[in-house]
Amino acid sequence: MSSDPPAVVTLISVLSVGAGLLLLMGLWTPVSATLVAAIELWKIYWRLGDPWIYLLLATMAAALAMLGPGFWSVDARLYGWKRIDPPARKT
């Protein structure tokens, strides 16, 4: 009898580590943050533990995907740091 983990759990673990490393470096931030959010939501759906921590991580990853990379990220160095300034109010 073998005690190998199921293939799906192994795949999710590998994807989590890969996406986490990409986020740590700040490379492909919107893609990797969306992947992290999807993985955390998958963990909630399959009830792999406390759902509140997974919900927190999914929310933070979704926010990071929408906000984009920071100033010190690899994305900012490769593609330039995008800053959105609101237009001035007309009086």
Side-chain angles (χ1 to χ4, degrees):
M1 201 157 139
S2 119
S3 64
D4 293 335
V8 174
V9 174
T10 304
L11 177 65
I12 292 297
S13 298
V14 169
L15 285 175
S16 295
V17 168
L21 288 174
L22 286 174
L23 278 178
L24 188 64
M25 291 186 304
L27 184 62
W28 293 349
T29 305
V31 174
S32 58
T34 303
L35 181 61
V36 168
I39 289 170
E40 298 304 325
L41 290 174
W42 180 86
K43 289 178 182 179
I44 291 172
Y45 180 75
W46 287 101
R47 303 176 199 265
L48 295 179
D50 183 22
W52 294 108
I53 189 69
Y54 297 137
L55 182 63
L56 174 67
L57 291 172
T59 304
M60 291 174 61
L64 187 59
M66 289 185 276
L67 289 173
F71 182 74
W72 294 101
S73 67
V74 175
D75 280 344
R77 298 292 176 215
L78 291 176
Y79 308 113
W81 190 54
K82 309 293 189 279
R83 181 177 172 152
I84 299 172
D85 291 324
R89 294 180 83 185
K90 294 181 182 178
T91 56

